[in-house]
């Protein structure tokens, strides 16, 4: 049974990455554009442009979420996005109370850890990262084959 589960691991990881990236991007889109219900307690459902840290967090959520969703520069995007969620938890939620259930920081904590996992695992299946890695590797092999060897 372990062998079957291990063979499906890249596909499960790819689906995990897609779901996490989509949900993360939706948070950014809601904050920036007021879609999907917008942000509660704001003017027009959006955060003010340039407002620290909320507008910058929303940009990281949207851009980072789309990159993670596509599996493009997954590790770098997930690292930055995970750090932004750690910042959100410790600066916005944790001063109110220690536990995420009490301070409303469950989403920040879960996104932080889910994105940190992607930093270490990479994009899994279905990611554009894999396409570029294969393409680069094939180009490097062809270049190595064509390089003359001096004797």
């Amino acid at each position: 049974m372990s062998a079957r589960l291990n063979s499906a691991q890249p596909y499960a990881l790819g689906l995990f990455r897609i779901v996490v990236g989509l949900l993360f991007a939706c948070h950014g889109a809601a904050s920036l554009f007021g879609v999907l219900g917008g942000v509660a307690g704001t003017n027009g459902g959006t955060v003010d442009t340039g407002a620290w840290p909320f507008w910058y967090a929303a940009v990281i959520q949207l851009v980072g979420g789309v990159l993670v969703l596509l599996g493009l520069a997954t590790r770098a995007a997930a690292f930055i996005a995970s750090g932004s969620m750690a910042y959100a938890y410790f600066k916005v939620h944790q001063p109110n109370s220690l536990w995420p259930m009490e301070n409303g920081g469950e989403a920040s904590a879960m996104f932080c850890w889910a994105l940190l996992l992607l930093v270490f695992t990479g994009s899994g299946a279905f990611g554009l990262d894999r396409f570029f890695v294969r393409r680069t590797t094939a180009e490097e092999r062809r270049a190595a084959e064509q390089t003359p060897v001096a004797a």
Side-chain angles (χ1 to χ4, degrees):
M1 178 146 157
S2 290
R4 289 182 76 176
L5 290 173
N6 287 343
S7 67
Q9 186 175 2
Y11 304 105
L13 185 59
L15 292 173
F16 174 78
R17 173 189 49 77
I18 290 168
V19 170
V20 169
L22 176 64
L23 293 174
F24 200 60
C26 286
H27 274 274
S31 298
L32 291 174
F33 308 120
V35 297
L36 305 170
V39 180
T42 58
N43 184 20
T46 62
V47 294
D48 293 332
T49 303
W52 176 259
F54 304 107
W55 185 82
Y56 296 94
V59 170
I60 290 171
Q61 289 169 357
L62 182 61
V63 174
V66 169
L67 289 173
V68 168
L69 170 67
L70 296 174
L72 186 60
T74 303
R75 290 176 188 236
F79 180 75
I80 293 168
S82 177
S84 77
M85 289 296 96
Y87 179 88
Y89 181 77
F90 287 111
K91 293 300 264 184
V92 176
H93 299 285
Q94 197 272 332
N96 299 328
S97 172
L98 176 63
W99 296 104
M101 291 296 292
E102 295 175 331
N103 64 29
E106 299 101 330
S108 296
M110 286 296 292
F111 275 125
C112 178
W113 286 103
L115 291 161
L116 187 63
L117 177 66
L118 291 173
V119 171
F120 290 96
T121 61
S123 63
F126 317 120
L128 294 179
D129 284 343
R130 286 179 163 271
F131 172 73
F132 289 118
V133 167
R134 276 193 230 135
R135 188 177 203 192
T136 303
T137 305
E139 289 173 1
E140 288 173 357
R141 264 186 271 155
R142 275 192 300 253
E145 291 170 1
Q146 294 174 355
T147 304
V149 177

